[in-house]
Each structure stands twice: as structure tokens, then as C-alpha cells.
Amino acid sequence: MKNAPEFIETKDCHCLEARRKARALTRLYEEKLRPFGLRATQFSVLATLKLKGPMPVTELADFLVLERTTMTRGAAVMAKHGWIKPAPSEDARVRAWQLTEQGRQKLAEAFPAWKEVQQQIDKGQ
């Protein structure tokens, strides 16, 4: 690699640092949620549906800052597990999801582990 002094500032890139921190936080949540068979994003989807009720895929993806296609693939996996199911919609073109009883139970089981990570982060550990 050639010496490029004009790019020395990139070593302190805020974007890269934010991504590193985000990955580290995600690893903490994933580690605690793994025993419950959940990924961090799946927990967030279940919690969002619990709080907000049935939601169209696009609205859910926007709320969670996910690509619509990523949300659609993730929702299919969660539906296969029985955690969510299609919600009735007045517009047949709109696909919406709702939490199932099994999804509520999964969320309740995993909540203490999620809360433990939240408290750990709040304490700065």
C-alpha cells in the first residue's frame, strides 16, 4: 500500500467506529438471546409487534430501519417458527404481520435476557 498522507484522517472515521460499536452491541444481545433461539433482530420484531400490534411489512421494516426484502425474509423465518402470522388486511396488496401466542411466549421468555444486556450497557460495562 502506497503512502497516502491525505487519507490519514480516515483512521478516525466516525462511520467505521459507529459500525464497530453497533456490531459489538449486537454480539452482546445475540449471545444472551441465543439460548432462546432468537436473534437480536427477531427479538426487536416480536417486541415491536407486541407494542404496536399488527403492522404491514413496509411499515415494520421502516420502523426497525431494515430493508423491506430483509424484513420479508426474516418474517418468513419467524412465521415458520410460529412466532408471527399474517394479519388480516383491507388491502390484499398489503402484507401485514401479527404476533402469535407462541411469539408472545417466546418474547416473554427472552425478555429477562434482553433486559440484562440493557442494564449492562446502561452501567457502561
Side-chain angles (χ1 to χ4, degrees):
M1 185 167 152
K2 291 186 177 189
N3 191 6
E6 68 272 18
F7 290 102
I8 195 71
E9 293 176 56
T10 62
K11 71 179 180 58
D12 296 322
C13 178
H14 296 297
C15 182
L16 178 59
E17 187 58 26
R19 292 176 60 89
R20 282 182 180 143
K21 286 180 181 178
R23 284 191 294 272
L25 286 173
T26 300
R27 276 195 296 273
L28 287 174
Y29 284 100
E30 300 255 330
E31 181 181 309
K32 289 291 185 184
L33 294 171
R34 189 174 298 119
F36 303 95
L38 282 172
R39 307 287 313 256
T41 303
Q42 292 170 328
F43 181 90
S44 297
V45 169
L46 297 179
T48 299
L49 291 174
K50 172 78 172 163
L51 290 170
K52 294 184 159 282
M55 291 179 74
V57 170
T58 301
E59 188 179 331
L60 191 54
D62 288 346
F63 183 79
L64 296 170
V65 193
L66 296 170
E67 294 293 325
R68 187 180 177 284
T69 55
T70 301
M71 182 67 249
T72 299
R73 283 192 307 271
V77 170
M78 289 184 285
K80 185 177 177 182
H81 286 294
W83 303 333
I84 64 173
K85 66 181 182 180
S89 176
E90 294 177 12
D91 186 343
R93 298 169 296 175
V94 175
R95 181 138 206 202
W97 292 101
Q98 64 185 12
L99 199 56
T100 64
E101 185 54 39
Q102 192 174 348
R104 283 187 212 31
Q105 289 174 356
K106 180 63 70 175
L107 184 61
E109 291 169 6
F111 180 72
W114 174 89
K115 192 171 181 176
E116 187 179 325
V117 177
Q118 283 287 112
Q119 291 170 341
Q120 181 182 348
I121 293 167
D122 287 343
K123 291 177 185 174
Q125 296 179 350

